[in-house]
Amino acid sequence: MAFIGLLVRWNKAYNLTAVRDPLEMVSKHLLDSLAVLPFLFGDSVLDIGTGAGLPGLPLAIMAPERRFWLLDSNNKKVRFVRQAVLDLGLDNVEPVQARIETYRPEQKFSTIVSRAVAADEILSGSNAELLAYPGRLLLMKGRQPDERIETTGLPSAVVMIHRLSVPFLDVSRHLIEIRST
């Protein structure tokens, strides 16, 4: 709830999210983010296009044993994430301001998660090298995706689509899980 309080306060000045009502933020941001918690794999998680720290910050709060890197190119959103990390005392989170095309970390990630970036953008070119083997790519979507997921960047990948149930949210939510084996 401290995260929601920070989001409400910063949202007034920085327009981090279109959702303004704190109760709506609980279902549309917090609980929606946490719906993917059971699908996390390994100990290193990269959140691509984190925006206001979603889903990375709620996941980091609930999984303190894992390390999280929250990547976004928007300076004001990364500033919010940095402040939230400080205020919430999250020593397992590293905010990163960069574009996915130019981000070249020293390590690979056992899980890559995103609410805002398409699979082909993450799996194109050298971006696919960000995912460890074995690893999981988790893409959060609204309605059930009907497009074919191209996994040429990941040899021997397995694609699964899960219907997510988010408490107090009466809209369709799905998770595309791509496992690199």
Side-chain angles (χ1 to χ4, degrees):
M1 295 317 300
F3 168 68
I4 294 293
L6 285 170
L7 188 56
V8 168
R9 191 171 73 234
W10 275 66
N11 203 33
K12 290 176 185 172
Y14 290 98
N15 194 28
L16 300 171
T17 172
V19 179
R20 301 277 183 230
D21 178 22
L23 287 178
E24 280 187 70
M25 287 180 179
V26 170
S27 59
K28 291 183 177 177
H29 291 323
L30 185 63
L31 297 177
D32 183 59
S33 294
L34 293 176
V36 301
L37 184 63
F39 297 93
L40 295 183
F41 176 79
D43 60 356
S44 60
V45 180
L46 173 64
D47 177 2
I48 296 178
T50 193
L54 301 164
L57 287 174
L59 291 171
I61 292 167
M62 296 304 292
E65 72 283 2
R66 290 185 164 101
R67 297 276 314 146
F68 291 81
W69 285 260
L70 279 56
L71 177 73
D72 204 282
S73 62
N74 185 304
N75 184 39
K76 71 178 178 180
K77 292 180 179 178
V78 173
R79 272 188 303 189
F80 166 73
V81 170
R82 282 189 184 112
Q83 191 61 50
V85 165
L86 288 172
D87 289 357
L88 299 171
L90 298 173
D91 59 2
N92 63 333
V93 177
E94 181 70 35
V96 179
Q97 183 181 351
R99 297 186 59 78
I100 185 173
E101 301 86 2
T102 59
Y103 181 55
R104 296 296 165 250
E106 294 179 15
Q107 80 283 347
K108 294 181 181 252
F109 301 95
S110 44
T111 297
I112 297 176
V113 63
S114 182
R115 285 177 88 191
V117 182
D120 59 350
E121 197 173 335
I122 295 172
L123 295 175
S124 66
S126 59
N127 296 339
E129 296 173 9
L130 296 172
L131 188 61
Y133 292 92
R136 304 289 186 273
L137 174 57
L138 306 176
L139 303 169
M140 301 173 71
K141 301 291 179 186
R143 64 187 182 324
Q144 180 160 349
D146 53 3
E147 75 272 8
R148 174 154 162 62
I149 307 298
E150 188 60 50
T151 60
T152 54
L154 296 175
S156 71
V158 176
V159 178
M160 292 172 273
I161 298 176
H162 307 279
R163 187 172 187 356
L164 298 176
S165 177
V166 180
F168 310 109
L169 194 59
D170 193 24
V171 295
S172 181
R173 297 297 290 143
H174 290 83
L175 177 69
I176 301 170
E177 178 186 14
I178 303 172
R179 293 183 178 195
S180 67
T181 55

